[in-house]
Amino acid sequence: MESLSEERRTPHADPAANEASEPGQTQSVAKGKLRVNITALLIQAGLVVLVILLSWAGFQTDTPMRIPAISSTPGLYDGLLNFEESEAGLFRWTDGAGEVCVPHAGSAARSLVTTQISGAYALPLGIETATLRPGNGPGVPIALPPQPRHYTLLTGGDQQAGADLCLTIESPTVLDPNNNRALGVQFFSFTGIHLPIAGPVTPAVSQIIVNLALAFAAFWLMRLLRTPVWVAGVIVAGGIVAYGMAVATGLVPAGPGVVRMQIPVALGLAGAVAGLLGVRSITGAKPTLSLLQRDLLGMAFWSIMLVGGINLVQRANGHHSVWPLKAGVYPEPYWTWLVILPTLLFVGWLWLVMRLSLQGARMARLGAALVLLGAVLVPVALEVTVLGHDSLYEVFRDSEYDYQQDTWRVAGDPIGFLGRYVEEAPDMALHNSNHPPGSVLLLWGVEQIFGPGAVATSWLAIILSALSAAAALWLGWKLGGPRLALVAGAIFVAMPGHLVYSVTSMDGVFNALNALTAVAFFFALERNAKPWMALLAGSLAALGVFFSYVATQLFFFGVAAVILSLIRAWHAEGRPSLGPLVRHMLRQSVLAGVVLVSFYLLIYLVSGFNIIEASREATAINAPVVGKQLIEGPVDQAFLPPNFAFYVKYLGANIGPYFWYLAPWGMGAFAALIIAGSRRLQGREPLNPFDLVLLSTAFCVLGMWVGGLFNREVERIWGFTYPLLAVVLAHYALQGEARQRQWRAWLFPLLFFAQGAVIKMLLNTAW
């Protein structure tokens, strides 16, 4: 990355020569556009062929399609009641004609359907027989077994309706006098298997259509972002091949309900394409709308997208309320007039910060200290006035899942504790068993100084969480000066991700470390950066991984920052400038990597703690917690989803809450800035530093999103991105004329604070 203060060198041009060359340039541009359009058309035709071929290949497999009774995906059952527990496992009662289906499974000449049922509870009720009917074929009568037993039937496309693979369990019923429901037999599981050896399986047309929709939406989204047509084609084709081969080889099965889960994602991508098209049309060379009009239009559009998208995801998954937010609605909302007190505190604090931001660099340092103080006091004031003073300590004191529950295991021997960590992890509190040992050791250290109890540890978490504001100040100050830094700090303090989760959650501490790591590495890539900055980035990264495995996802941020910085240098100075810059970035990256690896090698040599082994154990422990138990049998591949239905379910369930915490006004600003940056790329103009931050952060979020390692809670787990994006929002807010900049600088913090206060009063977010 060249120096951030470096200006682009623009050679002087002869106006007469430009005038003479205009017709030739116009003709050349027209030919170039025609070439690109023809290439895009051919690539899309190739994508259609690839989708159809690989979709067909994905159906030619004998991979079992399992539906255990606990599976909650809508559309799989008809005539089965809610699941219950028994000595033999989880089951569902049938209502006398319970049907289980794998929808969109394709049509095969021959298939096997297997069900596990039991008469253990039905026999005492006088129900002794049942009939198993595959599709609309003839029924097979059976005597109900006293214990769960598997029954397998041969069926085929001639007995199944359309592309679904179904089995109906028919039986007499008895009315349950306690719940007024008809009870038949106990259903435990269903498994469908196509037999391609008996003939090709005809793919479900619905699956091909949805696959095509996803491919085209992804392709055009990248094209809108000015991705070269062949690059967009290669990326989408690579995704299609990876998906198709994983399904065809059985590495990751499609899974029941995959089409249902894909539809919200496809519509969401299509909506993003429509939104960016709209932004591009109203922010051209001669915009017809004012900044305020564009902001309001963007807020309206993204409000519709967020509400509609979350509603689609809820319908696809059979949920309601505020799911997939990791929160619950309070039975009685904590509406209180006392919320006026933190609101007045915030407005007064904001006025002082904004005032200091206009007083020059010397007073801005006082403003920076005020931002850090506000990062502690504003969330605490909101928490205490809404939920009471005791709520500051409830999580660490009362939660059986939280980190402080295992500090006793250190037993005065932190080195020995590290050596035993992987072995003892399954017996620890949930948050310790699926995280590295840093939190336990930190809280143990606090207990050694201040004594046991949740007061000191809670305040430590609150204070350390406030360091995320330092990341926003550091990044903003260097990129845009003290005024922008203070506006960025104010925006971050008001963002719900900080207001809600810094009191009290260790996630705030993790996010501070990860945000500081990202900023340090970003500055380490500057052309004039010293080696110590890379060493600092590596040290922060090592510390971040010691507290949370989420720190590993900063890899995506680093890769994007390197690539975009090289593109920026190429556009600014030409290809000859890349050699020295590449060598500099390689040196800085290696230095950071060496520090990271050396840290864990040293810990391993001293204590025997293996971070890789710990991460695998944590993932295996977390698998049933996040829902992988919905798939029958053990999950052997810890870092892979059990099937694509599960994977796509969480694509929709993750991105909605994350965007919701960025709010419609934030999403509108980011869309406008992304389109502006893509225009600079198209015109081969250098990206500005804020483009680098925004696009690198967006690539990091994209990597975490498609990586499939996260299952909800991302509105706080990905919270390390908020300080970085607050700087970008400050840059956006300070555009326009002086008067516009003044009210826009106030607007974003006020809107975010109002959103955070409503969340605090309505939702229980303490986990």
Side-chain angles (χ1 to χ4, degrees), residues 32-44 47 214-236 269 272-274 276-277 280 674-675 677-682:
K33 286 184 177 179
L34 180 62
R35 250 191 330 266
V36 169
N37 290 337
I38 292 173
T39 304
L41 189 62
L42 292 174
I43 286 175
Q44 289 174 89
L47 293 178
L214 284 167
F216 279 111
F219 177 78
W220 280 107
L221 187 60
M222 283 188 283
R223 290 294 296 132
L224 272 173
L225 300 178
R226 310 299 182 184
T227 307
V229 63
W230 63 270
V231 173
V234 167
I235 291 174
V236 175
L269 289 175
V273 170
L276 292 177
L277 274 172
R280 194 171 73 170
I674 285 173
I675 288 297
S678 68
R679 284 199 174 105
R680 281 186 279 276
L681 282 174
Q682 185 185 34

Side-chain angles (χ1 to χ4, degrees), residues 103-104 124 181 192 262 309 387 402 431 508 655:
H104 315 287
R181 56 181 185 166
Q262 285 176 311
L387 300 178
D402 230 288
H431 287 165
I655 204 66

Side-chain angles (χ1 to χ4, degrees), residues 54 109 166 243 252 300 309 320 378 396 403 474 504 568 666 678 728 755:
L54 286 171
C166 301
Y243 171 77
V252 182
H320 59 282
V378 172
F396 281 10
Y403 305 93
W474 183 16
T504 304
R568 180 176 189 245
S678 68
V728 177
Q755 181 192 17

Side-chain angles (χ1 to χ4, degrees), residues 76-329:
L76 304 183
Y77 311 111
D78 185 20
L80 278 84
L81 308 181
N82 293 333
F83 71 82
E84 303 176 29
E85 293 186 22
S86 72
E87 298 83 356
L90 296 170
F91 74 96
R92 292 175 185 264
W93 282 105
T94 68
D95 67 358
E99 184 181 54
V100 189
C101 287
V102 178
H104 315 287
S107 180
R110 289 291 177 266
S111 304
L112 295 176
V113 290
T114 299
T115 186
Q116 185 185 32
I117 60 175
S118 171
Y121 291 180
L123 289 171
L125 300 176
I127 303 171
E128 299 180 348
T129 62
T131 299
L132 305 180
R133 189 179 306 278
N136 52 22
V140 178
I142 61 167
L144 286 177
Q147 297 297 328
R149 182 176 176 183
H150 289 90
Y151 295 89
T152 301
L153 288 78
L154 183 66
T155 184
D158 56 332
Q159 297 178 348
Q160 299 290 335
D164 298 343
L165 184 60
C166 301
L167 175 71
T168 303
I169 306 168
E170 302 170 353
S171 71
T173 61
V174 171
L175 186 66
D176 181 355
N178 298 319
N179 297 293
N180 194 28
R181 56 181 185 166
L183 304 179
V185 302
Q186 290 171 274
F187 163 81
F188 287 86
S189 68
F190 170 89
T191 303
I193 303 175
H194 287 320
L195 301 176
I197 194 172
V201 180
T202 303
V205 175
S206 55
Q207 181 69 76
I208 294 176
I209 291 173
V210 173
N211 289 348
L212 285 170
L214 284 167
F216 279 111
F219 177 78
W220 280 107
L221 187 60
M222 283 188 283
R223 290 294 296 132
L224 272 173
L225 300 178
R226 310 299 182 184
T227 307
V229 63
W230 63 270
V231 173
V234 167
I235 291 174
V236 175
I240 293 168
V241 170
Y243 171 77
M245 294 306 296
V247 174
T249 60
L251 180 65
V252 182
V258 65
V259 172
R260 186 183 187 95
M261 301 301 169
Q262 285 176 311
I263 289 173
V265 177
L267 291 175
L269 289 175
V273 170
L276 292 177
L277 274 172
V279 172
R280 194 171 73 170
S281 66
I282 64 174
T283 58
K286 297 180 179 179
T288 57
L289 300 178
S290 68
L291 273 174
L292 177 60
Q293 289 172 324
R294 279 180 267 166
D295 286 343
L296 292 175
L297 193 60
M299 286 170 59
F301 174 80
W302 288 106
S303 295
I304 294 170
M305 279 289 295
L306 287 171
V307 172
I310 288 177
N311 184 261
L312 275 174
V313 172
Q314 287 180 336
R315 288 175 178 271
N317 289 277
H319 289 281
H320 59 282
S321 186
V322 296
W323 193 95
L325 285 172
K326 187 66 174 179
V329 179

